[in-house]
C-alpha cells in the first residue's frame, strides 16, 4: 500500500484530500488501515512539497453498522477529520470525482443479495437442503459466480465515477487459489459444516426443512483470475498490484474450533437471526464448534489465501 501511494498516487491541487474505508465495521482494523494510508499520504505530500491539505476520512458501512461504537473509539492522536458515509458500496456513495483513495478490506466477499434462483423451487439452481454454494451442484455455483460478477461491476462502476482520475483503490479479500474447487477452500468448508448443523436441527425438530431450503448465505470466495477479469472487463482502472498476501495452511490460522466457529458466527449471525430468530443461535453454534473439532483433519487439507489488489483510476477516459 505504502509503495503504491508513494509511486502511483497523482496529487492534484486542492486543499481537501478524501479517503474512504468501505465496509469499515466497528474497528479497530479500520483505524489501522486508515493510519497506514494517511501516513503514506502525508509523507508523499511532504516529499512533493505540496500545498497544505486537510485530510478527511469517510468511514463507510451499512446504516445498521454500529457507528456509535466506531466513533467512540477513534484514535485521539488522529491527524484527519472523521465522518460517516452510509450506504452499500455496490451503489453510489459519494459525489463525482470527490475521492482520492478508497480502501475496502474483507468486504467484497459479501454479495449484495442471495443470487437469483437458488431459493426458487422451480429452478434447476434451487439449493435444496443447503445454505451455501460451495458443496452444491454446478448450477448453484454458477448463480453465485454470476452474482459476484454483477456485484464487482457495480462496485467498480460506482468507484469509477467517485474516484478522481489518478486516484487509488485498495482491495483486500479472502480468496481461493486459481483452479482450486470451491469445496476445498477452508472458509467454504466452515460454512458447509454450518449447513450440516441446520439439517441436524431439522432432524431434531427445532426448525422446518422448508426454512433451510429457503435460506442461503450471500458470500462468495473469489480467485485471483476472477478478480482480474472483473477489473479488465470494467476497464476504468489499471491494475498496479495483484498479490497473494498469505497462504493459510492450518484450518483457520491456528485458531481453535471455538474461535473458528465464533468467526463464522460473526459473519452469519445477523442473517440467521433475520430468518430464524434468536432461538436457535446458541444451539446451532455449539453444534458447529463440535463438528469443527471432528472435522479438523479434513479442514487442514483445505486452501485459503488473502488477495491484495491496488488499482489506479485511468486518467484518459
Ligand atoms: C468482515 S467485516 C470487515 C471489517 C474491516 N474492514 C476489516 O478489515 O476488519 C465486513 C464489513 O463489510 C460491511 N459490508 C458488507 N457488505 C457491504 C456493502 N454492500 N456496503 C457497505 N458495507 C458492507 C459489513 O457490514 C462489515 O462491517
Amino acid at each position: 500500500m505504502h509503495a503504491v501511494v508513494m509511486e502511483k498516487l497523482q496529487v492534484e491541487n486542492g486543499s481537501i484530500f478524501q479517503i474512504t474505508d468501505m465496509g469499515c465495521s466497528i474497528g479497530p482494523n479500520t483505524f489501522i488501515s486508515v493510519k497506514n494510508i494517511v501516513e503514506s499520504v502525508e509523507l508523499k505530500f511532504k516529499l512533493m512539497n505540496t500545498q497544505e491539505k486537510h485530510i478527511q476520512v469517510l468511514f463507510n458501512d451499512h446504516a445498521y453498522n454500529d457507528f456509535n461504537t466506531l466513533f467512540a473509539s477513534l484514535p485521539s492522536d488522529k491527524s484527519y477529520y472523521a465522518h460517516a458515509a452510509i450506504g452499500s458500496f455496490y451503489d453510489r456513495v459519494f459525489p463525482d470525482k470527490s475521492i482520492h483513495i478508497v480502501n475496502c478490506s474483507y468486504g467484497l466477499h459479501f454479495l449484495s443479495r442471495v443470487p437469483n434462483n437458488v431459493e426458487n423451487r422451480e429452478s434447476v439452481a434451487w439449493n435444496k437442503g443447503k445454505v451455501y454454494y460451495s458443496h452444491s451442484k454446478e448450477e448453484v455455483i454458477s448463480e453465485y459466480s454470476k452474482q459476484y460478477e454483477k456485484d464487482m461491476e457495480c462496485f467498480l462502476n460506482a468507484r469509477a465515477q467517485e474516484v478522481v482520475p489518478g486516484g487509488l483503490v485498495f482491495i483486500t479479500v479472502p480468496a481461493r487459489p486459481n483452479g482450486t474447487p470451491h469445496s476445498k477452500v477452508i472458509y467454504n468448508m466452515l460454512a458447509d459444516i454450518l449447513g450440516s448443523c441446520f439439517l441436524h436441527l431439522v432432524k431434531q425438530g427445532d426448525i422446518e426443512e422448508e426454512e433451510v431450503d429457503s435460506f442461503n448465505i450471500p458470500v462468495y470466495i473469489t480467485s485471483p483470475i476472477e478478480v482480474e477479469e472483473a477489473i479488465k472487463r470494467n476497464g476504468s482502472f489499471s491494475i498496479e498490484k495483484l498479490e497473494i498476501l498469505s497462504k493459510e495452511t492450518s484450518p483457520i490460522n491456528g485458531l481453535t474450533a471455538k474461535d473458528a466457529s465464533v468467526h463464522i458466527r460473526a459473519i452469519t449471525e445477523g442473517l440467521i437471526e433475520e430468518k430464524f430468530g434468536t432461538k436457535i443461535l446458541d444451539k446451532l453454534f455449539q453444534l458447529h464448534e463440535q463438528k469443527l473439532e471432528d472435522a479438523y483433519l479434513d479442514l487442514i487439507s483445505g486452501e485459503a489465501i488473502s488477495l491484495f489488489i491496488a488499482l489506479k483510476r485511468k486518467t484518459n477516459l
Side-chain angles (χ1 to χ4, degrees):
M1 207 179 257
H2 177 75
V4 178
V5 170
M6 297 314 281
E7 287 163 27
K8 304 287 177 181
L9 180 69
Q10 284 170 233
V11 183
E12 6 131 281
N13 292 329
S15 60
I16 299 175
F17 189 91
Q18 303 226 87
I19 298 167
T20 178
D21 191 36
M22 305 201 90
C24 62
S25 191
I26 57 168
N29 290 350
T30 184
F31 300 130
I32 299 168
S33 308
V34 164
K35 184 171 192 276
N36 287 338
I37 295 173
V38 168
E39 282 177 357
S40 302
V41 165
E42 285 175 337
L43 183 61
K44 172 113 185 179
F45 290 166
K46 202 166 158 196
L47 292 176
M48 289 181 65
N49 260 330
T50 54
Q51 78 176 92
E52 176 90 5
K53 284 185 196 293
H54 300 288
I55 299 179
Q56 281 195 150
V57 176
L58 304 140
F59 290 93
N60 160 262
D61 211 299
H62 288 299
Y64 54 74
N65 185 54
D66 184 357
F67 282 98
N68 286 334
T69 297
L70 176 77
F71 284 105
S73 53
L74 269 175
S76 54
D77 59 349
K78 65 181 176 46
S79 59
Y80 53 83
Y81 296 94
H83 302 268
I86 311 290
S88 169
F89 49 53
Y90 292 122
D91 298 326
R92 285 292 299 272
V93 180
F94 304 107
D96 281 359
K97 298 191 175 72
S98 61
I99 301 291
H100 299 85
I101 298 184
V102 175
N103 184 59
C104 186
S105 296
Y106 296 99
L108 281 168
H109 52 305
F110 291 96
L111 298 174
S112 65
R113 48 166 290 165
V114 172
N116 278 334
N117 292 323
V118 302
E119 291 176 1
N120 173 4
R121 320 181 138 255
E122 310 299 323
S123 165
V124 282
W126 183 31
N127 201 16
K128 180 168 173 44
K130 302 212 179 271
V131 302
Y132 194 57
Y133 73 98
S134 57
H135 292 65
S136 302
K137 52 189 175 183
E138 264 317 306
E139 288 87 349
V140 175
I141 298 178
S142 160
E143 290 294 319
Y144 266 79
S145 127
K146 279 192 258 173
Q147 185 62 46
Y148 172 76
E149 281 178 19
K150 277 189 216 153
D151 283 345
M152 275 302 282
E153 182 61 15
C154 289
F155 177 86
L156 293 168
N157 264 338
R159 300 302 83 74
Q161 293 169 74
E162 296 167 352
V163 173
V164 299
L168 303 174
V169 177
F170 298 123
I171 296 170
T172 311
V173 272
R176 62 180 212 285
N178 288 334
T180 302
H182 290 278
S183 59
K184 298 282 178 227
V185 178
I186 295 172
Y187 316 110
N188 292 345
M189 292 158 100
L190 295 174
D192 188 58
I193 290 173
L194 184 63
S196 72
C197 299
F198 277 100
L199 293 184
H200 199 106
L201 294 193
V202 169
K203 278 202 193 108
Q204 295 195 337
D206 294 305
I207 48 176
E208 299 296 323
E209 195 176 343
E210 289 73 32
E211 290 180 281
V212 177
D213 291 344
S214 59
F215 174 70
N216 287 277
I217 301 170
V219 164
Y220 181 81
I221 303 297
T222 188
S223 64
I225 220 160
E226 280 171 283
V227 176
E228 194 175 345
E229 278 170 7
I231 295 161
K232 289 191 170 152
R233 215 172 17 243
N234 172 270
S236 304
F237 296 91
S238 56
I239 300 176
E240 303 299 333
K241 210 168 236 192
L242 197 156
E243 66 181 25
I244 293 171
L245 285 184
S246 58
K247 186 172 189 316
E248 289 142 25
T249 46
S250 73
I252 335 77
N253 250 345
L255 299 181
T256 62
K258 184 169 183 57
D259 293 336
S261 183
V262 166
H263 182 72
I264 296 293
R265 183 169 180 161
I267 294 173
T268 56
E269 186 172 59
L271 296 163
I272 297 170
E273 211 178 304
E274 225 172 84
K275 175 85 185 176
F276 299 92
T278 49
K279 61 181 193 307
I280 62 161
L281 283 173
D282 287 342
K283 192 167 178 187
L284 182 75
F285 282 99
Q286 268 159 21
L287 201 58
H288 189 232
E289 185 185 327
Q290 244 172 46
K291 289 201 181 207
L292 289 189
E293 296 221 6
D294 297 344
Y296 182 85
L297 281 179
D298 231 14
L299 284 168
I300 215 163
S301 68
E303 300 251 17
I305 54 175
S306 283
L307 262 188
F308 173 73
I309 306 125
L311 306 178
K312 183 168 167 176
R313 176 73 175 91
K314 289 180 182 168
T315 50
N316 54 352
L317 291 176

